[in-house]
Amino acid sequence: MAAQLTKNFIEALYKNQFESFGNPIVQVLNIKSTQSNTNRVIISDGIYFMQTLMSSQLMEQSSKVSKNCLIKIKKCISNRLSKNGVVSIFGILLDFDVLPYENLDKIGNPRNIQEVFPPQTIMGYDNSSNPSQGQSEQNNKPNNFNNIKNNNNNNNNSNNNNMKNQNIFPIKSLSPYQNRWTIRAKVISKNDIKTWNNARGSGKLFSTVFMDNSSEIRATAFNDACDKFYDLLQEDQVYYISGANIKVANKQFNNVKNEYEMYLDANTNITLCNDSNQELKMHYSFIPINQLEAIDKDSIVDVIGVVDQMGEIVQITSKASNRPINKRDVYIVDDSGFKVRLTLWAKHAEDMRYEDKPVVAFKAVKVNDFQGKSISTLSSSIISFNPDIPEAHRISGWYSQNNDGNYQTFSNMGSFNGGDVQKTNVYKTLQQIKNENLGSEKADYFNIVSTVVFIKKDNFAYPACPGENCNKKVIEEDDLWRCEKCNKSYPEPEYRYILSLDALDHTGNQWLTCFNESAEKLLGHKAKELQEIKNYDENEFNKIFDDVSFRQYDFRIRAKIDTYNEESRLRCNIIDVKPINFEIQIKNNIEAIDKLMNELQI
């Protein structure tokens, strides 16, 4: 068995002269976990033994490591640290395989290499003699920054060539125990600059997330580093990064799945990578929507689904900053047959690509349980539309065959009561709305099948502000339309629906309100088009309303009792409208008859 160990490898690793050894085989003499979730491993080649570190990110491999087992090292580095005048040399295991040998005894009688070769006598750490050990001292200095912004600059191209010749490390191998490394990574998200001002001073920062094919890591830059790197780092661009500080991640502010995080400072060197031939793929750990019920509140998850419904943008005032912020609710479904509400915030809410019912992958969204199980985006969430991944193709194929709206959810779209599950399309009669006092304590969601018997044509739409994300009513002044909120005037408004209609079924009638998107579905025209038709052709205008009247529709309703001037009133808003699915209605009628027969004990 002794012949299986790679002789002289430990001495070469210790002296940082091991590049020619390929994939050496060594024996693990001892393994011990540290407080920083890093494994401390003693390895031997039968002649010498030395200390190495193994990150717990190598979870699959480390779980198989035991005392006296044999491992084949696929990638490692040698590191030298000097602290308080004491020099230490140790190895870092970046990748390895555990060999299938069991019940082994200690091989040979290895000696502690540090006793034979004191660390201060080892001279194999000069960067010029070991280019694979990271970047040169020149590259450790931030004097390449001006070259980064110009891809055609000769010096920048030279830097890229130098970087390509470096030993590029995978992100998953980074740890605080390394002081020389270079990664090649893509920026997959970047937050806006944030500022603070308190008793201890003021400052600014921004954070970004780097990704390669092994993992991802969050990086933060403060003050001068914030100024230096903010404009340089752009989403979807690939960079060479080196010289940053690696520390244990603060999970209070960091939801990236990495036990470490990166801090960019004056010693950090970042160079745009001009050679991006290697494809970098996003890492996902998707949770099926039907499993969200078992996920704890405030957990961070990845989900993927089809945007089946999209709500309007609503502006609210943030409690934290006391500033207005945009939000939008969308409803996503996946092939588990479940539907969930996802709240989009700020820039995520302003993207209009959701209206085309795309397949969307949401990375790092938060699980909520307020008014039912739901999810919401964070500033660090990453959203990919129609990603070219197997999960997206599978769900797209499923949705093309199952887009009738007959999905399940957690307690009727937001009244979570311990995990009860029911169909999203709970149908009510108009009389049940009153009998069951729906909307009295909270908003209730349900479907009705009813006939439109009357639509108020007067004031069917209002002149709205055409400014981005405003929609407030504008006032005509001197041939212009003025928005008090935006404090701007426009040559013409953007008309938006606010329809009032009377609906009837066999139990009674109810006034319903129909806003812009659902009204467009009902009437088949945008509000601005219908306003122009009204101005030039009254008969055509009336015909459009007549075509809708005395027809049955399947309406999705939000019912809520509002109080204004001490007067309470039930408001039923149409949030979706579609033709009647008679197959679903027949099933519902059969279930209702069976339930009635059971109650009557027939």
Side-chain angles (χ1 to χ4, degrees), residues 251-257 292-302 364-370 372-378 380-381:
K251 289 304 181 180
Q252 181 180 356
F253 306 104
N254 185 350
N255 54 51
V256 175
K257 294 179 180 178
L292 289 174
E293 174 189 357
I295 304 298
D296 292 336
K297 176 182 178 293
D298 296 331
S299 296
I300 306 300
V301 299
D302 302 342
V365 291
K366 183 180 179 181
V367 177
N368 309 305
D369 63 5
F370 177 70
K373 214 70 167 184
S374 63
I375 47 182
S376 61
T377 59
L378 304 166
S380 56
S381 297

PDB file of all heavy atoms in Angstrom, residues 251-257 292-302 364-370 372-378 380-381:
ATOM      1  N   LYS A 251     -24.518  36.999   7.435  1.00  0.00           N
ATOM      2  CA  LYS A 251     -25.778  36.553   6.846  1.00  0.00           C
ATOM      3  C   LYS A 251     -26.936  37.503   7.139  1.00  0.00           C
ATOM      4  O   LYS A 251     -28.016  37.346   6.582  1.00  0.00           O
ATOM      5  CB  LYS A 251     -26.111  35.141   7.343  1.00  0.00           C
ATOM      6  CG  LYS A 251     -25.190  34.084   6.759  1.00  0.00           C
ATOM      7  CD  LYS A 251     -25.210  34.110   5.235  1.00  0.00           C
ATOM      8  CE  LYS A 251     -24.317  33.065   4.619  1.00  0.00           C
ATOM      9  NZ  LYS A 251     -24.338  33.103   3.133  1.00  0.00           N
ATOM     10  N   GLN A 252     -26.721  38.488   8.000  1.00  0.00           N
ATOM     11  CA  GLN A 252     -27.767  39.480   8.232  1.00  0.00           C
ATOM     12  C   GLN A 252     -27.978  40.344   6.990  1.00  0.00           C
ATOM     13  O   GLN A 252     -29.091  40.815   6.724  1.00  0.00           O
ATOM     14  CB  GLN A 252     -27.395  40.362   9.428  1.00  0.00           C
ATOM     15  CG  GLN A 252     -28.452  41.418   9.754  1.00  0.00           C
ATOM     16  CD  GLN A 252     -28.069  42.277  10.934  1.00  0.00           C
ATOM     17  OE1 GLN A 252     -27.034  42.050  11.576  1.00  0.00           O
ATOM     18  NE2 GLN A 252     -28.877  43.280  11.234  1.00  0.00           N
ATOM     19  N   PHE A 253     -26.913  40.543   6.204  1.00  0.00           N
ATOM     20  CA  PHE A 253     -26.995  41.388   5.017  1.00  0.00           C
ATOM     21  C   PHE A 253     -26.684  40.615   3.737  1.00  0.00           C
ATOM     22  O   PHE A 253     -26.756  41.191   2.653  1.00  0.00           O
ATOM     23  CB  PHE A 253     -26.012  42.568   5.136  1.00  0.00           C
ATOM     24  CG  PHE A 253     -26.191  43.372   6.389  1.00  0.00           C
ATOM     25  CD1 PHE A 253     -25.303  43.248   7.445  1.00  0.00           C
ATOM     26  CD2 PHE A 253     -27.255  44.238   6.525  1.00  0.00           C
ATOM     27  CE1 PHE A 253     -25.464  43.990   8.604  1.00  0.00           C
ATOM     28  CE2 PHE A 253     -27.428  44.976   7.674  1.00  0.00           C
ATOM     29  CZ  PHE A 253     -26.528  44.860   8.722  1.00  0.00           C
ATOM     30  N   ASN A 254     -26.337  39.370   3.850  1.00  0.00           N
ATOM     31  CA  ASN A 254     -25.839  38.618   2.695  1.00  0.00           C
ATOM     32  C   ASN A 254     -26.653  37.342   2.538  1.00  0.00           C
ATOM     33  O   ASN A 254     -26.609  36.467   3.405  1.00  0.00           O
ATOM     34  CB  ASN A 254     -24.349  38.296   2.911  1.00  0.00           C
ATOM     35  CG  ASN A 254     -23.725  37.614   1.707  1.00  0.00           C
ATOM     36  OD1 ASN A 254     -24.409  37.199   0.775  1.00  0.00           O
ATOM     37  ND2 ASN A 254     -22.403  37.484   1.726  1.00  0.00           N
ATOM     38  N   ASN A 255     -27.399  37.206   1.446  1.00  0.00           N
ATOM     39  CA  ASN A 255     -28.172  35.991   1.216  1.00  0.00           C
ATOM     40  C   ASN A 255     -27.588  35.117   0.115  1.00  0.00           C
ATOM     41  O   ASN A 255     -28.244  34.173  -0.341  1.00  0.00           O
ATOM     42  CB  ASN A 255     -29.634  36.337   0.889  1.00  0.00           C
ATOM     43  CG  ASN A 255     -29.751  37.326  -0.260  1.00  0.00           C
ATOM     44  OD1 ASN A 255     -29.169  37.131  -1.312  1.00  0.00           O
ATOM     45  ND2 ASN A 255     -30.511  38.394  -0.053  1.00  0.00           N
ATOM     46  N   VAL A 256     -26.357  35.421  -0.321  1.00  0.00           N
ATOM     47  CA  VAL A 256     -25.692  34.582  -1.312  1.00  0.00           C
ATOM     48  C   VAL A 256     -25.240  33.279  -0.648  1.00  0.00           C
ATOM     49  O   VAL A 256     -24.786  33.282   0.501  1.00  0.00           O
ATOM     50  CB  VAL A 256     -24.480  35.319  -1.922  1.00  0.00           C
ATOM     51  CG1 VAL A 256     -23.704  34.409  -2.862  1.00  0.00           C
ATOM     52  CG2 VAL A 256     -24.962  36.559  -2.673  1.00  0.00           C
ATOM     53  N   LYS A 257     -25.372  32.181  -1.363  1.00  0.00           N
ATOM     54  CA  LYS A 257     -25.050  30.871  -0.792  1.00  0.00           C
ATOM     55  C   LYS A 257     -23.543  30.628  -0.838  1.00  0.00           C
ATOM     56  O   LYS A 257     -23.035  29.857  -1.643  1.00  0.00           O
ATOM     57  CB  LYS A 257     -25.811  29.778  -1.541  1.00  0.00           C
ATOM     58  CG  LYS A 257     -27.321  29.878  -1.344  1.00  0.00           C
ATOM     59  CD  LYS A 257     -28.076  28.807  -2.100  1.00  0.00           C
ATOM     60  CE  LYS A 257     -29.571  28.940  -1.872  1.00  0.00           C
ATOM     61  NZ  LYS A 257     -30.350  27.936  -2.628  1.00  0.00           N
ATOM     62  N   LEU A 292     -43.563  25.461  -1.037  1.00  0.00           N
ATOM     63  CA  LEU A 292     -43.348  26.689  -0.276  1.00  0.00           C
ATOM     64  C   LEU A 292     -44.055  26.652   1.065  1.00  0.00           C
ATOM     65  O   LEU A 292     -43.651  27.332   2.014  1.00  0.00           O
ATOM     66  CB  LEU A 292     -43.832  27.898  -1.085  1.00  0.00           C
ATOM     67  CG  LEU A 292     -42.988  28.283  -2.301  1.00  0.00           C
ATOM     68  CD1 LEU A 292     -43.664  29.401  -3.078  1.00  0.00           C
ATOM     69  CD2 LEU A 292     -41.584  28.707  -1.885  1.00  0.00           C
ATOM     70  N   GLU A 293     -45.118  25.860   1.154  1.00  0.00           N
ATOM     71  CA  GLU A 293     -45.856  25.747   2.409  1.00  0.00           C
ATOM     72  C   GLU A 293     -44.948  25.332   3.561  1.00  0.00           C
ATOM     73  O   GLU A 293     -45.113  25.771   4.698  1.00  0.00           O
ATOM     74  CB  GLU A 293     -46.979  24.729   2.240  1.00  0.00           C
ATOM     75  CG  GLU A 293     -47.738  24.413   3.515  1.00  0.00           C
ATOM     76  CD  GLU A 293     -48.690  23.232   3.337  1.00  0.00           C
ATOM     77  OE1 GLU A 293     -48.796  22.718   2.217  1.00  0.00           O
ATOM     78  OE2 GLU A 293     -49.294  22.840   4.342  1.00  0.00           O
ATOM     79  N   ALA A 294     -43.943  24.479   3.273  1.00  0.00           N
ATOM     80  CA  ALA A 294     -43.074  23.941   4.319  1.00  0.00           C
ATOM     81  C   ALA A 294     -41.838  24.806   4.567  1.00  0.00           C
ATOM     82  O   ALA A 294     -41.030  24.493   5.431  1.00  0.00           O
ATOM     83  CB  ALA A 294     -42.639  22.526   3.947  1.00  0.00           C
ATOM     84  N   ILE A 295     -41.688  25.901   3.813  1.00  0.00           N
ATOM     85  CA  ILE A 295     -40.506  26.756   3.943  1.00  0.00           C
ATOM     86  C   ILE A 295     -40.765  27.819   5.015  1.00  0.00           C
ATOM     87  O   ILE A 295     -41.815  28.455   5.049  1.00  0.00           O
ATOM     88  CB  ILE A 295     -40.165  27.430   2.598  1.00  0.00           C
ATOM     89  CG1 ILE A 295     -39.966  26.369   1.505  1.00  0.00           C
ATOM     90  CG2 ILE A 295     -38.911  28.284   2.736  1.00  0.00           C
ATOM     91  CD1 ILE A 295     -38.835  25.414   1.771  1.00  0.00           C
ATOM     92  N   ASP A 296     -39.792  28.022   5.904  1.00  0.00           N
ATOM     93  CA  ASP A 296     -39.935  28.983   6.988  1.00  0.00           C
ATOM     94  C   ASP A 296     -39.999  30.419   6.464  1.00  0.00           C
ATOM     95  O   ASP A 296     -39.397  30.749   5.434  1.00  0.00           O
ATOM     96  CB  ASP A 296     -38.767  28.868   7.968  1.00  0.00           C
ATOM     97  CG  ASP A 296     -38.792  27.558   8.740  1.00  0.00           C
ATOM     98  OD1 ASP A 296     -39.886  26.973   8.862  1.00  0.00           O
ATOM     99  OD2 ASP A 296     -37.712  27.130   9.207  1.00  0.00           O
ATOM    100  N   LYS A 297     -40.712  31.253   7.207  1.00  0.00           N
ATOM    101  CA  LYS A 297     -40.775  32.679   6.908  1.00  0.00           C
ATOM    102  C   LYS A 297     -39.369  33.276   6.893  1.00  0.00           C
ATOM    103  O   LYS A 297     -38.508  32.898   7.680  1.00  0.00           O
ATOM    104  CB  LYS A 297     -41.633  33.379   7.959  1.00  0.00           C
ATOM    105  CG  LYS A 297     -41.710  34.891   7.844  1.00  0.00           C
ATOM    106  CD  LYS A 297     -42.551  35.456   8.959  1.00  0.00           C
ATOM    107  CE  LYS A 297     -42.623  36.977   8.922  1.00  0.00           C
ATOM    108  NZ  LYS A 297     -41.318  37.604   9.207  1.00  0.00           N
ATOM    109  N   ASP A 298     -39.126  34.204   5.963  1.00  0.00           N
ATOM    110  CA  ASP A 298     -37.860  34.933   5.786  1.00  0.00           C
ATOM    111  C   ASP A 298     -36.768  34.084   5.146  1.00  0.00           C
ATOM    112  O   ASP A 298     -35.632  34.555   5.000  1.00  0.00           O
ATOM    113  CB  ASP A 298     -37.337  35.507   7.109  1.00  0.00           C
ATOM    114  CG  ASP A 298     -38.266  36.559   7.692  1.00  0.00           C
ATOM    115  OD1 ASP A 298     -38.961  37.220   6.905  1.00  0.00           O
ATOM    116  OD2 ASP A 298     -38.311  36.698   8.922  1.00  0.00           O
ATOM    117  N   SER A 299     -37.085  32.834   4.774  1.00  0.00           N
ATOM    118  CA  SER A 299     -36.099  32.027   4.053  1.00  0.00           C
ATOM    119  C   SER A 299     -35.878  32.618   2.663  1.00  0.00           C
ATOM    120  O   SER A 299     -36.762  33.248   2.080  1.00  0.00           O
ATOM    121  CB  SER A 299     -36.582  30.578   3.923  1.00  0.00           C
ATOM    122  OG  SER A 299     -36.699  29.967   5.184  1.00  0.00           O
ATOM    123  N   ILE A 300     -34.676  32.407   2.123  1.00  0.00           N
ATOM    124  CA  ILE A 300     -34.340  32.878   0.782  1.00  0.00           C
ATOM    125  C   ILE A 300     -34.320  31.667  -0.152  1.00  0.00           C
ATOM    126  O   ILE A 300     -33.612  30.689   0.111  1.00  0.00           O
ATOM    127  CB  ILE A 300     -32.976  33.591   0.755  1.00  0.00           C
ATOM    128  CG1 ILE A 300     -32.946  34.716   1.800  1.00  0.00           C
ATOM    129  CG2 ILE A 300     -32.687  34.129  -0.632  1.00  0.00           C
ATOM    130  CD1 ILE A 300     -33.998  35.786   1.603  1.00  0.00           C
ATOM    131  N   VAL A 301     -35.102  31.722  -1.225  1.00  0.00           N
ATOM    132  CA  VAL A 301     -35.249  30.581  -2.113  1.00  0.00           C
ATOM    133  C   VAL A 301     -35.150  31.029  -3.568  1.00  0.00           C
ATOM    134  O   VAL A 301     -35.211  32.221  -3.887  1.00  0.00           O
ATOM    135  CB  VAL A 301     -36.606  29.871  -1.890  1.00  0.00           C
ATOM    136  CG1 VAL A 301     -36.711  29.343  -0.464  1.00  0.00           C
ATOM    137  CG2 VAL A 301     -37.770  30.813  -2.196  1.00  0.00           C
ATOM    138  N   ASP A 302     -35.004  30.042  -4.457  1.00  0.00           N
ATOM    139  CA  ASP A 302     -35.090  30.254  -5.897  1.00  0.00           C
ATOM    140  C   ASP A 302     -36.363  29.584  -6.394  1.00  0.00           C
ATOM    141  O   ASP A 302     -36.662  28.442  -5.999  1.00  0.00           O
ATOM    142  CB  ASP A 302     -33.889  29.643  -6.629  1.00  0.00           C
ATOM    143  CG  ASP A 302     -32.555  30.189  -6.149  1.00  0.00           C
ATOM    144  OD1 ASP A 302     -32.557  31.256  -5.509  1.00  0.00           O
ATOM    145  OD2 ASP A 302     -31.520  29.543  -6.403  1.00  0.00           O
ATOM    146  N   ALA A 364     -33.007  34.125  -5.328  1.00  0.00           N
ATOM    147  CA  ALA A 364     -32.886  34.823  -4.044  1.00  0.00           C
ATOM    148  C   ALA A 364     -34.098  35.721  -3.787  1.00  0.00           C
ATOM    149  O   ALA A 364     -33.994  36.948  -3.716  1.00  0.00           O
ATOM    150  CB  ALA A 364     -31.597  35.620  -3.959  1.00  0.00           C
ATOM    151  N   VAL A 365     -35.284  35.101  -3.667  1.00  0.00           N
ATOM    152  CA  VAL A 365     -36.481  35.821  -3.250  1.00  0.00           C
ATOM    153  C   VAL A 365     -36.862  35.367  -1.847  1.00  0.00           C
ATOM    154  O   VAL A 365     -36.488  34.279  -1.409  1.00  0.00           O
ATOM    155  CB  VAL A 365     -37.655  35.606  -4.228  1.00  0.00           C
ATOM    156  CG1 VAL A 365     -37.370  36.273  -5.547  1.00  0.00           C
ATOM    157  CG2 VAL A 365     -37.936  34.124  -4.438  1.00  0.00           C
ATOM    158  N   LYS A 366     -37.610  36.207  -1.167  1.00  0.00           N
ATOM    159  CA  LYS A 366     -37.899  35.992   0.251  1.00  0.00           C
ATOM    160  C   LYS A 366     -39.286  35.378   0.437  1.00  0.00           C
ATOM    161  O   LYS A 366     -40.244  35.776  -0.217  1.00  0.00           O
ATOM    162  CB  LYS A 366     -37.814  37.327   0.992  1.00  0.00           C
ATOM    163  CG  LYS A 366     -38.026  37.258   2.490  1.00  0.00           C
ATOM    164  CD  LYS A 366     -37.904  38.663   3.077  1.00  0.00           C
ATOM    165  CE  LYS A 366     -38.140  38.665   4.576  1.00  0.00           C
ATOM    166  NZ  LYS A 366     -38.037  40.040   5.131  1.00  0.00           N
ATOM    167  N   VAL A 367     -39.389  34.420   1.361  1.00  0.00           N
ATOM    168  CA  VAL A 367     -40.659  33.778   1.677  1.00  0.00           C
ATOM    169  C   VAL A 367     -41.366  34.573   2.778  1.00  0.00           C
ATOM    170  O   VAL A 367     -40.768  34.896   3.809  1.00  0.00           O
ATOM    171  CB  VAL A 367     -40.450  32.321   2.134  1.00  0.00           C
ATOM    172  CG1 VAL A 367     -41.780  31.683   2.520  1.00  0.00           C
ATOM    173  CG2 VAL A 367     -39.775  31.514   1.028  1.00  0.00           C
ATOM    174  N   ASN A 368     -42.635  34.899   2.554  1.00  0.00           N
ATOM    175  CA  ASN A 368     -43.433  35.662   3.519  1.00  0.00           C
ATOM    176  C   ASN A 368     -44.645  34.838   3.939  1.00  0.00           C
ATOM    177  O   ASN A 368     -45.092  33.942   3.214  1.00  0.00           O
ATOM    178  CB  ASN A 368     -43.923  36.973   2.898  1.00  0.00           C
ATOM    179  CG  ASN A 368     -42.797  37.770   2.267  1.00  0.00           C
ATOM    180  OD1 ASN A 368     -41.819  38.071   2.923  1.00  0.00           O
ATOM    181  ND2 ASN A 368     -42.939  38.102   0.997  1.00  0.00           N
ATOM    182  N   ASP A 369     -45.205  35.174   5.107  1.00  0.00           N
ATOM    183  CA  ASP A 369     -46.445  34.519   5.510  1.00  0.00           C
ATOM    184  C   ASP A 369     -47.488  35.524   5.974  1.00  0.00           C
ATOM    185  O   ASP A 369     -48.496  35.158   6.577  1.00  0.00           O
ATOM    186  CB  ASP A 369     -46.193  33.474   6.595  1.00  0.00           C
ATOM    187  CG  ASP A 369     -45.643  34.066   7.886  1.00  0.00           C
ATOM    188  OD1 ASP A 369     -45.545  35.310   7.977  1.00  0.00           O
ATOM    189  OD2 ASP A 369     -45.315  33.291   8.796  1.00  0.00           O
ATOM    190  N   PHE A 370     -47.267  36.812   5.691  1.00  0.00           N
ATOM    191  CA  PHE A 370     -48.262  37.822   6.032  1.00  0.00           C
ATOM    192  C   PHE A 370     -49.432  37.707   5.063  1.00  0.00           C
ATOM    193  O   PHE A 370     -49.263  37.775   3.853  1.00  0.00           O
ATOM    194  CB  PHE A 370     -47.654  39.226   5.957  1.00  0.00           C
ATOM    195  CG  PHE A 370     -48.642  40.328   6.220  1.00  0.00           C
ATOM    196  CD1 PHE A 370     -49.155  40.513   7.489  1.00  0.00           C
ATOM    197  CD2 PHE A 370     -49.055  41.166   5.201  1.00  0.00           C
ATOM    198  CE1 PHE A 370     -50.065  41.530   7.746  1.00  0.00           C
ATOM    199  CE2 PHE A 370     -49.958  42.178   5.448  1.00  0.00           C
ATOM    200  CZ  PHE A 370     -50.471  42.364   6.724  1.00  0.00           C
ATOM    201  N   GLY A 372     -50.963  35.157   4.262  1.00  0.00           N
ATOM    202  CA  GLY A 372     -50.824  33.954   3.450  1.00  0.00           C
ATOM    203  C   GLY A 372     -49.417  33.758   2.941  1.00  0.00           C
ATOM    204  O   GLY A 372     -48.595  34.664   2.952  1.00  0.00           O
ATOM    205  N   LYS A 373     -49.131  32.557   2.498  1.00  0.00           N
ATOM    206  CA  LYS A 373     -47.801  32.236   1.981  1.00  0.00           C
ATOM    207  C   LYS A 373     -47.588  32.949   0.646  1.00  0.00           C
ATOM    208  O   LYS A 373     -48.397  32.826  -0.281  1.00  0.00           O
ATOM    209  CB  LYS A 373     -47.690  30.726   1.789  1.00  0.00           C
ATOM    210  CG  LYS A 373     -46.305  30.173   2.047  1.00  0.00           C
ATOM    211  CD  LYS A 373     -45.954  30.233   3.520  1.00  0.00           C
ATOM    212  CE  LYS A 373     -44.724  29.393   3.829  1.00  0.00           C
ATOM    213  NZ  LYS A 373     -44.440  29.379   5.264  1.00  0.00           N
ATOM    214  N   SER A 374     -46.516  33.700   0.567  1.00  0.00           N
ATOM    215  CA  SER A 374     -46.193  34.423  -0.665  1.00  0.00           C
ATOM    216  C   SER A 374     -44.684  34.623  -0.706  1.00  0.00           C
ATOM    217  O   SER A 374     -43.963  34.234   0.216  1.00  0.00           O
ATOM    218  CB  SER A 374     -46.919  35.768  -0.715  1.00  0.00           C
ATOM    219  OG  SER A 374     -46.485  36.598   0.348  1.00  0.00           O
ATOM    220  N   ILE A 375     -44.208  35.220  -1.763  1.00  0.00           N
ATOM    221  CA  ILE A 375     -42.781  35.497  -1.921  1.00  0.00           C
ATOM    222  C   ILE A 375     -42.609  36.913  -2.444  1.00  0.00           C
ATOM    223  O   ILE A 375     -43.534  37.499  -3.007  1.00  0.00           O
ATOM    224  CB  ILE A 375     -42.082  34.480  -2.856  1.00  0.00           C
ATOM    225  CG1 ILE A 375     -42.885  34.276  -4.139  1.00  0.00           C
ATOM    226  CG2 ILE A 375     -41.844  33.162  -2.166  1.00  0.00           C
ATOM    227  CD1 ILE A 375     -42.296  33.259  -5.081  1.00  0.00           C
ATOM    228  N   SER A 376     -41.420  37.478  -2.256  1.00  0.00           N
ATOM    229  CA  SER A 376     -41.166  38.847  -2.710  1.00  0.00           C
ATOM    230  C   SER A 376     -39.703  39.000  -3.066  1.00  0.00           C
ATOM    231  O   SER A 376     -38.836  38.279  -2.560  1.00  0.00           O
ATOM    232  CB  SER A 376     -41.561  39.853  -1.630  1.00  0.00           C
ATOM    233  OG  SER A 376     -40.805  39.643  -0.443  1.00  0.00           O
ATOM    234  N   THR A 377     -39.429  39.962  -3.931  1.00  0.00           N
ATOM    235  CA  THR A 377     -38.058  40.213  -4.354  1.00  0.00           C
ATOM    236  C   THR A 377     -37.326  41.066  -3.321  1.00  0.00           C
ATOM    237  O   THR A 377     -37.930  41.806  -2.548  1.00  0.00           O
ATOM    238  CB  THR A 377     -38.002  40.933  -5.708  1.00  0.00           C
ATOM    239  OG1 THR A 377     -38.704  42.180  -5.611  1.00  0.00           O
ATOM    240  CG2 THR A 377     -38.628  40.085  -6.801  1.00  0.00           C
ATOM    241  N   LEU A 378     -36.001  40.957  -3.339  1.00  0.00           N
ATOM    242  CA  LEU A 378     -35.105  41.804  -2.563  1.00  0.00           C
ATOM    243  C   LEU A 378     -34.286  42.644  -3.540  1.00  0.00           C
ATOM    244  O   LEU A 378     -34.299  42.393  -4.757  1.00  0.00           O
ATOM    245  CB  LEU A 378     -34.182  40.950  -1.702  1.00  0.00           C
ATOM    246  CG  LEU A 378     -34.864  39.953  -0.751  1.00  0.00           C
ATOM    247  CD1 LEU A 378     -33.844  38.946  -0.233  1.00  0.00           C
ATOM    248  CD2 LEU A 378     -35.521  40.682   0.401  1.00  0.00           C
ATOM    249  N   SER A 380     -31.276  42.425  -3.928  1.00  0.00           N
ATOM    250  CA  SER A 380     -30.249  41.535  -4.479  1.00  0.00           C
ATOM    251  C   SER A 380     -30.828  40.396  -5.311  1.00  0.00           C
ATOM    252  O   SER A 380     -30.074  39.559  -5.810  1.00  0.00           O
ATOM    253  CB  SER A 380     -29.409  40.955  -3.336  1.00  0.00           C
ATOM    254  OG  SER A 380     -30.242  40.290  -2.390  1.00  0.00           O
ATOM    255  N   SER A 381     -32.150  40.340  -5.459  1.00  0.00           N
ATOM    256  CA  SER A 381     -32.752  39.268  -6.253  1.00  0.00           C
ATOM    257  C   SER A 381     -32.346  39.409  -7.724  1.00  0.00           C
ATOM    258  O   SER A 381     -32.155  40.516  -8.235  1.00  0.00           O
ATOM    259  CB  SER A 381     -34.281  39.312  -6.140  1.00  0.00           C
ATOM    260  OG  SER A 381     -34.705  39.098  -4.816  1.00  0.00           O
TER     261      SER A 381
END
